[in-house]
């Protein structure tokens, strides 16, 4: 319990420091001005969400391979935390886009593929609510999770042909791209903070899933008597 | 018996069952026709507009139809309690999937081939000179839809609300097929037709990736 509290406190502290750095430490962006500061939050959350979905994919594979319930719990946990992160991304994106592009939404490659990614994992969570038997639910949702995850690169590639309005990748984007060193430090600090926050949420949600399982087991035992 | 002879035997069974009643095909064709007519009400189907939007609408109609017509391929087995027998008979569960994918591809392709001239007449689109390209696109597109659809139908059949669940699971997964097939078809149906080979490549990648995934994981879909 103490460990969980300390972990939570660290996560909140890091996110608060990240927010402070994004608002006060990072320099103003030349053309976009102050509105660009949401980028630290927006892009860092997107990275954390994508990492979380990758962990979900690994958990799905491990469940199919090992058939241990803990991987099923990890799968649903990561899907939920990932959906939460991507929801934040889909909300903060338009907040940034409206003053900069003049529109809330555009059907550009990265926006659209993020939206499809979000829909795929919403379907994954929906599927889980519709299968009653725990073992079948675990197997079938793990398989759907695998199919959904391998679909994501194809979705992204297919949508990318359309002309894209999203800012070109500034990190690992190729020659001519790149961030100011202070911006870079602030950004990566935020990426770290969001990953720690996501990890904290995953641990908490996982423990909840475990408790749920224990309660169900006890219930069944009580009914059997 | 090898994988392919197994699959061929089950494919024969699927096609025979369907052509005895033709229930699935006739309902699907009427469904696509209704969707295409309803789409025409949502915008003025004059020639220029229909060349730009028509192929997208056509593929959307095919995708909707597929998400409904793919449901029975495992539901039939479940209702008649024949899935266990099928699994015992086939040496490899992948043979069952291969056969179902083959049958579904054939059914989808038939629907598309019957609907293409009707669509061309209704929307005043010329396609005759580009028939080989269109056939290739329809075949590869249907194969992709059938592959992902058969896998997800096996999942949705085992859940509640299955009729509604299959489209919810399937349609987002099929997004790349919709995009790539529409791009290729728009190219072929434009006034100066051209073949968008990148699109064909994309559909091919989707087909190969999902066939491989099904080959690796298919057996777990049919566990009991």
């Amino acid at each position: 319990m103490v460990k969980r509290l300390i972990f939570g406190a660290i996560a909140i502290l890091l996110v608060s420091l990240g927010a402070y750095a994004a608002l006060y430490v990072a320099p103003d962006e030349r053309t976009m001005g102050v509105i660009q500061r949401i980028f630290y939050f927006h892009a860092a959350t997107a990275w954390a969400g994508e990492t979380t979905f990758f962990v979900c994919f690994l958990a799905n594979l491990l469940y199919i391979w090992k058939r241990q319930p803990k991987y099923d719990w990890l799968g649903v946990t990561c899907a939920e935390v990932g959906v939460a992160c991507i929801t934040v991304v889909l909300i903060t994106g338009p907040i940034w886009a409206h003053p900069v592009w003049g529109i809330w939404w555009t059907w550009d490659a990265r926006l659209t593929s993020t939206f499809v990614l979000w829909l795929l994992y919403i379907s994954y969570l929906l599927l889980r609510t519709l299968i009653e038997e725990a073992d079948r639910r675990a197997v079938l949702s793990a398989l759907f999770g695998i199919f959904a995850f391998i679909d994501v690169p194809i979705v992204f590639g297919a949508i990318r042909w359309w002309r894209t309005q999203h800012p070109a990748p500034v990190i690992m984007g190729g020659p001519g791209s790149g961030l100011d060193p202070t911006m870079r430090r602030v950004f990566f600090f935020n990426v770290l903070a969001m990953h720690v926050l996501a990890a904290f949420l995953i641990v908490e949600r996982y423990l909840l899933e475990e408790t749920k399982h224990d309660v169900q087991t006890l219930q069944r035992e009580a009914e059997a008597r | 018996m090898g994988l392919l002879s197994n699959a061929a035997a089950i494919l024969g069974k699927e096609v025979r069952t369907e052509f005895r009643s033709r229930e699935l095909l006739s309902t699907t064709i009427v469904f696509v026709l209704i969707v295409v007519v309803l789409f025409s009400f949502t915008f003025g189907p004059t020639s220029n507009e229909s060349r730009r939007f028509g192929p997208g609408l056509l593929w959307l109609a095919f995708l909707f139809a597929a998400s409904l017509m793919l449901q029975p391929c495992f539901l039939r087995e479940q209702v008649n309690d024949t899935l266990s027998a099928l699994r015992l008979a086939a040496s490899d569960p992948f043979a069952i999937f291969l056969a179902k994918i083959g049958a579904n591809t054939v059914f989808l392709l038939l629907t598309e081939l019957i609907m293409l001239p009707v669509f061309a007449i209704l929307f005043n689109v010329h396609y005759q000179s580009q028939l080989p390209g269109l056939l290739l696109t329809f075949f590869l597109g249907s194969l992709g839809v059938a592959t992902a659809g058969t896998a997800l139908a096996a999942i949705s059949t085992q859940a509640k609300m299955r009729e509604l669940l299959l489209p919810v699971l399937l349609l987002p997964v099929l997004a790349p097929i919709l995009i790539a097939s529409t791009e290729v078809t728009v190219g072929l149906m434009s006034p100066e037709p051209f073949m968008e080979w990148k699109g064909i490549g994309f559909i091919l990648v989707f087909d190969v990736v999902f066939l491989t995934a099904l080959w690796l994981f298919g057996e777990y879909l049919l566990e009991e």
Side-chain angles (χ1 to χ4, degrees), chain B residues 143-164:
Chain B
L143 182 63
V145 173
T147 308
T150 307
L152 298 181
I155 293 180
S156 71
T157 310
Q158 300 175 52
K160 291 187 287 181
M161 302 280 290
R162 45 176 100 93
E163 289 81 6
L164 207 53

Side-chain angles (χ1 to χ4, degrees), chain A residues 67 130 132 136 151 162, chain B residues 158 160 173 183 220 223:
Chain A
R67 297 303 167 105
L130 294 173
E132 269 164 15
R136 290 313 289 157
D151 196 39
W162 294 334
Chain B
Q158 300 175 52
K160 291 187 287 181
V173 172
E183 294 275 305
Y220 308 115
E223 282 174 356

